[in-house]
Amino acid sequence: MLKDHVKAEIPEKEELKVKLKAEREKLAASLMSIKDAKLPVMVICEGFGGAGVGSTLGKVVNCIDPRFFKLKSFGGKASEDEKRYPFLYRYMLTIPEAGKFTFYDGFWMHEITDALLDGSLSEKLYEKRVSSIQSAERALHDNGYIILKFFFRIGKKEQKKRFEKLLDNKDTKWRVDDGDLRENKEYEDHERVYDRYLNDTDSAIAPWYIVDSEDERFSEWQLLSVINRGIDTALKNKALAAPVRQNRFKLVPMQKLSEVSFEGKELTDEEYEEELKDLQKRLRALHYRLYRKKIPVVIAYEGWDAAGKGGNIKRITKALDPRGYEVHPVASPEPHEKARFFLWRFWNRLPKTGHIAIFDRTWYGRVMVERLEGFCSENDWQRAYNEMNEFEKELSDWGAVVIKFWVDIDKDTQLARFTDRQNTPEKQWKITDEDWRNREKWDLYEAAVDEMLEKTSTEFAPWYILESVDKKYARIKALRIVIKRLEEACGKD
Amino acid sequence: MLKDHVKAEIPEKEELKVKLKAEREKLAASLMSIKDAKLPVMVICEGFGGAGVGSTLGKVVNCIDPRFFKLKSFGGKASEDEKRYPFLYRYMLTIPEAGKFTFYDGFWMHEITDALLDGSLSEKLYEKRVSSIQSAERALHDNGYIILKFFFRIGKKEQKKRFEKLLDNKDTKWRVDDGDLRENKEYEDHERVYDRYLNDTDSAIAPWYIVDSEDERFSEWQLLSVINRGIDTALKNKALAAPVRQNRFKLVPMQKLSEVSFEGKELTDEEYEEELKDLQKRLRALHYRLYRKKIPVVIAYEGWDAAGKGGNIKRITKALDPRGYEVHPVASPEPHEKARFFLWRFWNRLPKTGHIAIFDRTWYGRVMVERLEGFCSENDWQRAYNEMNEFEKELSDWGAVVIKFWVDIDKDTQLARFTDRQNTPEKQWKITDEDWRNREKWDLYEAAVDEMLEKTSTEFAPWYILESVDKKYARIKALRIVIKRLEEACGKD
């Protein structure tokens, strides 16, 4: 893309001034439409050092009321703390909310190209990074984000001249670092790697624009006009649905809920107490081991109301060091969460390496309550199976153990437990009108759960059904599964 | 406190079991009252290494539904990134929301005592840290937080025994680090420093409890019973008001708004353009300098509706590198912000060292809109003057330049601008019914603003009035003040 790029003609000074003014006004005027359409806009700028990304962005954001944008800057290096999360993590946290912009002065490109250039990124991992980005961009796009990507290009000589000017002033010389100087010295190598990255991440939904950056006002005009056109198109397309992609992961066959039998799936108090003690002891030791080996763990609980999720989770956490786990009870999203991509609030709650995150209800709300209550469109929940599989693939590729439990009971058991909650003063807070309303939709939920289990039980993140008419049985089964999966991941020593 | 501590008698095993059960049940049963009373609870645990803080907390949180608590762990060291914020910053971000607990396995104590022990903290800075903590605890307490503080104590021999046991197992030996071994070797030195810290931070509103930690179940019981008693007391005291403290900072005398004259405070277009260009050039250079010198800057804008805050801010930001500043438009708090101490959302938006944060409306909403609309109690806003002064003192002591602008116009000018906004289609979004309603309360607001200017214009964070009937005049004045303050802070080179 860089090498065969056809340089644009810089308009005459006066003409450029007029054009620039028009684009600035157009952007300022479109803010209310963007807000009304709840459009989130990502403007991602990458480029050669000294190409003027910062100063151009400075001009662009100056046309925009601060209520409507944030600007984020990413260096090529993750901090020690950020390295304990998946590659996409620190980037995903910064996505804009509906109706607003995030401008990026550097996004995820340089973490990859820098590492490729200094030899610390293998070819295989490079491919993986590119595919992570493609899948994240697709998910964001399909969920209504516009992604506008710019690469600021300057020639070797011009870059050298600009660096020299910055180095000449003690207040600006810190802006040129060793990496910049190396980039200039080994300009062709860098150009080749950038070119490769741009080609690999160019796509119909998020194409790259090469910005000829020799003239600052011209850069600004290129940026503004592409942003304005992009917004126009996105506003027109607002109601379009995105294709539902074919599944590309190997799936583990699952039972239908109607086939689940509770027969014989019970334990006496003695069996339970004895096993519980033994398993918790083993889990405690494993927790220290996975901490030492820095393996992250995600345990996701879904299940019928009153199936016993909370008590089940408690039997797991009782064995854990409280510094090494967190339980995330998931209720309906807060306004600032609802205003973003539905997986954002889960990205936000990922464990560090060596830690365990337990979700009491999860992202699967998308294909259950959100589907059945109409909180998202049909296209949204149909796409979500793949979006969630890809999300979990990222976790798994990062090294996480992903365990998903469906805590299952039958309809009569639920009724008995609801009634008990209703009649026991200290349990009454656990039962609401909503629980009774959901119960009326049992059959619809059952069909949705069957579809979910079928479509999202991947080999890297399988579902396990916990038969929980006898809660003791379900707890022991959960502990055994967690221990087995952790032993596989931690090894013997 | 440690040395003259009277060791408690450990009850007999059976008796302890019964007592423990009762306290666990009491805590579990109080969750709904805590939620209904919107009580935020901080349980801060510190102690000697190996004293069992983690495992005791593990047992305590296991009585509590995960919806009601978070657990945070702080090591003694701030990360490189955290070091670019004030001392209190990383701690303040973790305070619980209304109706919930945060349990701390280590809070701000060890960052101070470790540094005191290794000689990296001067006596003067130690005093400063202690006073920061006292003031933060008081502000939190006065705003409805319960703060329960525990120090887990074990003897030198017992500690050694416990470390040896941990070191003996490869899955647990990472839990004992060099700092722990040093603590055991130099037990008496550590005990002396801890004792000093405990004495210095013991207070009526947040006293220390020494937990005798030789027996794990006894530790748990001590923790639980103090928490339960603390909650009882806090629930009874819920409606109590806290004393409004006397001002202890030197104040800069301020004009009353009625004394502000707009006479002659205007500029021709030519004067304006020329000055603007010159000042922005100087500010641009200063911005790089303060980045290099890692000086943080906080600029706070308050003012009448339609006074011209937005345009004024834009003239500042136009001179800044977009990577080095952020504008925070402040609207009414989101639910998760409203559920916390009112300054939390501002702690959350502080700049890093070397960066500029500009607030378009600020924490002073507490003594203007919240006061006049009854969004907080009279006692709340009366205390807020001091709470905000202390907040700004923290910023100033950290090294921040704090600049506060009141953008002033007269009532006729506001009417003219409102009418213009109403009649100009592209400005209509800027005017709402609320603006008109606020205008009706002009006199009440004027009195509140006068009181605010009088009580919060400290020497370290003074207010500046920007006469903005002529917006050009106000912009130039703001730029001059910012430049003057930055030059004072950055020096000549």
Side-chain angles (χ1 to χ4, degrees), chain B residues 232-250:
Chain B
D232 277 349
T233 313
L235 289 174
K236 280 187 200 121
N237 290 349
K238 197 58 193 158
L240 288 190
V244 175
R245 292 169 68 83
Q246 184 179 28
N247 170 56
R248 64 189 179 91
F249 301 111
K250 198 153 180 194

Side-chain angles (χ1 to χ4, degrees), chain B residues 25-35 101 228 231 235:
Chain B
E25 285 170 4
K26 188 162 159 49
L27 181 59
S30 67
L31 296 179
M32 290 315 285
S33 327
I34 291 169
K35 188 183 169 213
F101 288 84
N228 282 329
I231 290 170
L235 289 174

Side-chain angles (χ1 to χ4, degrees), chain A residues 32 54-55 57-58 61-73 97 105 170-172 174-175 285 288-289 291-292 314 317-318 321-323 325-329 334-336 360 429 492-493, chain B residues 32 54-55 57-58 61-73 97 105 170-172 174-175 285 288-289 291-292 314 317-318 321-323 325-329 334-336 360 429 492-493:
Chain A
M32 291 315 287
S55 55
L57 277 178
V61 297
N62 223 56
C63 324
I64 304 183
D65 186 285
R67 268 162 284 200
F68 294 100
F69 79 90
K70 295 217 173 289
L71 187 141
K72 296 281 167 192
S73 230
E97 50 181 323
D105 173 19
K170 73 174 171 314
D171 284 330
T172 57
W174 57 268
R175 294 176 63 191
Y288 290 130
R289 182 166 302 171
Y291 186 90
R292 177 163 59 86
K314 218 172 228 178
T317 57
K318 200 161 181 211
D321 186 314
R323 289 164 287 202
Y325 79 87
E326 194 156 9
V327 177
H328 299 286
E334 301 245 18
H336 71 290
D360 184 354
W429 66 275
K492 288 280 169 212
D493 143 295
Chain B
M32 290 315 285
S55 54
L57 276 178
V61 298
N62 223 55
C63 325
I64 304 182
D65 187 284
R67 268 163 283 200
F68 295 101
F69 79 91
K70 296 218 173 289
L71 187 141
K72 296 281 166 191
S73 231
E97 48 182 323
D105 173 18
K170 73 173 171 315
D171 284 330
T172 58
W174 57 267
R175 293 176 64 192
Y288 290 130
R289 182 166 303 171
Y291 186 90
R292 176 162 62 85
K314 218 172 229 180
T317 58
K318 200 163 181 209
D321 186 313
R323 290 163 285 201
Y325 79 87
E326 195 156 10
V327 178
H328 299 287
E334 301 245 17
H336 71 290
D360 184 353
W429 66 276
K492 288 282 168 211
D493 135 307

Side-chain angles (χ1 to χ4, degrees), chain A residues 437-453:
Chain A
R437 277 197 304 276
N438 289 342
R439 179 173 166 79
E440 278 168 31
K441 297 189 183 169
W442 182 285
D443 294 344
L444 290 173
Y445 270 98
E446 182 168 327
V449 173
D450 279 337
E451 186 168 0
M452 168 185 90
L453 296 176

Side-chain angles (χ1 to χ4, degrees), chain B residues 112-302:
Chain B
I112 298 172
T113 51
D114 286 3
L116 205 55
L117 279 157
D118 73 18
S120 62
L121 192 74
S122 68
E123 277 298 314
K124 200 175 150 202
L125 208 49
Y126 172 79
E127 296 299 336
K128 169 75 201 113
R129 292 283 179 264
V130 165
S131 115
S132 295
I133 287 174
Q134 284 165 343
S135 117
E137 287 185 348
R138 183 164 22 74
L140 290 169
H141 167 269
D142 290 355
N143 283 277
Y145 282 69
I146 335 182
I147 305 169
L148 300 163
K149 303 192 297 196
F150 300 89
F151 185 90
F152 283 57
R153 179 179 183 276
I154 44 169
K156 187 172 182 174
K157 275 189 202 152
E158 174 70 17
Q159 188 185 43
K160 194 168 179 205
K161 215 170 78 190
R162 292 189 186 183
F163 285 162
E164 279 164 358
K165 194 179 160 201
L166 289 169
L167 287 169
D168 215 34
N169 177 332
K170 73 173 171 315
D171 284 330
T172 58
K173 74 176 175 200
W174 57 267
R175 293 176 64 192
V176 183
D177 64 21
D178 290 349
D180 289 319
L181 295 175
R182 200 175 322 115
E183 191 184 65
N184 188 253
K185 212 174 135 199
E186 299 159 9
Y187 184 92
E188 293 74 15
D189 291 343
H190 284 69
E191 191 182 35
R192 204 187 56 245
V193 167
Y194 298 162
D195 200 32
R196 177 177 176 196
Y197 175 86
L198 296 178
N199 280 311
D200 289 345
T201 55
D202 193 51
S203 68
I205 54 160
W208 281 103
Y209 300 88
I210 310 293
V211 176
D212 289 313
S213 316
E214 251 88 60
D215 179 280
E216 217 172 62
R217 293 154 70 93
F218 186 49
S219 297
E220 188 190 349
W221 177 79
Q222 292 171 80
L223 207 63
L224 281 169
S225 63
V226 173
I227 292 173
N228 282 329
R229 268 187 287 144
I231 290 170
D232 277 349
T233 313
L235 289 174
K236 280 187 200 121
N237 290 349
K238 197 58 193 158
L240 288 190
V244 175
R245 292 169 68 83
Q246 184 179 28
N247 170 56
R248 64 189 179 91
F249 301 111
K250 198 153 180 194
L251 295 170
V252 180
M254 292 294 294
Q255 283 179 296
K256 289 214 171 301
L257 289 189
S258 60
E259 297 160 7
V260 173
S261 156
F262 299 100
E263 193 94 25
K265 291 174 178 165
E266 51 194 348
L267 293 172
T268 64
D269 286 354
E270 295 71 40
E271 288 168 329
Y272 172 67
E273 292 298 341
E274 195 177 324
E275 284 239 49
L276 183 68
K277 222 176 135 184
D278 174 55
L279 293 170
Q280 286 181 335
K281 198 175 151 196
R282 283 169 62 194
L283 180 55
R284 185 168 297 119
L286 272 167
H287 191 204
Y288 290 130
R289 182 166 303 171
L290 76 92
Y291 186 90
R292 176 162 62 85
K293 300 201 160 188
K294 295 211 188 312
I295 295 169
V297 180
V298 172
I299 306 178
Y301 275 85
E302 289 287 355

Side-chain angles (χ1 to χ4, degrees), chain A residues 147-192:
Chain A
I147 304 170
L148 300 163
K149 302 192 296 194
F150 299 89
F151 185 89
F152 283 57
R153 179 179 183 274
I154 44 169
K156 187 172 182 175
K157 274 189 204 154
E158 174 69 16
Q159 188 185 42
K160 193 168 179 206
K161 214 170 77 189
R162 292 189 186 183
F163 285 163
E164 279 165 358
K165 193 178 161 201
L166 289 170
L167 287 169
D168 215 33
N169 176 332
K170 73 174 171 314
D171 284 330
T172 57
K173 74 178 176 200
W174 57 268
R175 294 176 63 191
V176 183
D177 63 22
D178 290 349
D180 289 320
L181 295 175
R182 201 174 322 115
E183 191 184 66
N184 188 254
K185 211 174 137 199
E186 298 159 9
Y187 184 92
E188 293 75 15
D189 290 344
H190 284 70
E191 191 183 35
R192 202 187 57 245

Side-chain angles (χ1 to χ4, degrees), chain A residues 50 90 101 215 246 254 265 287 302 368 416-417 481:
Chain A
R90 60 183 185 132
F101 287 84
D215 179 280
Q246 184 180 26
M254 292 294 296
K265 292 177 179 164
H287 191 205
E302 290 286 355
M368 295 196 290
R417 291 187 189 165
I481 291 167

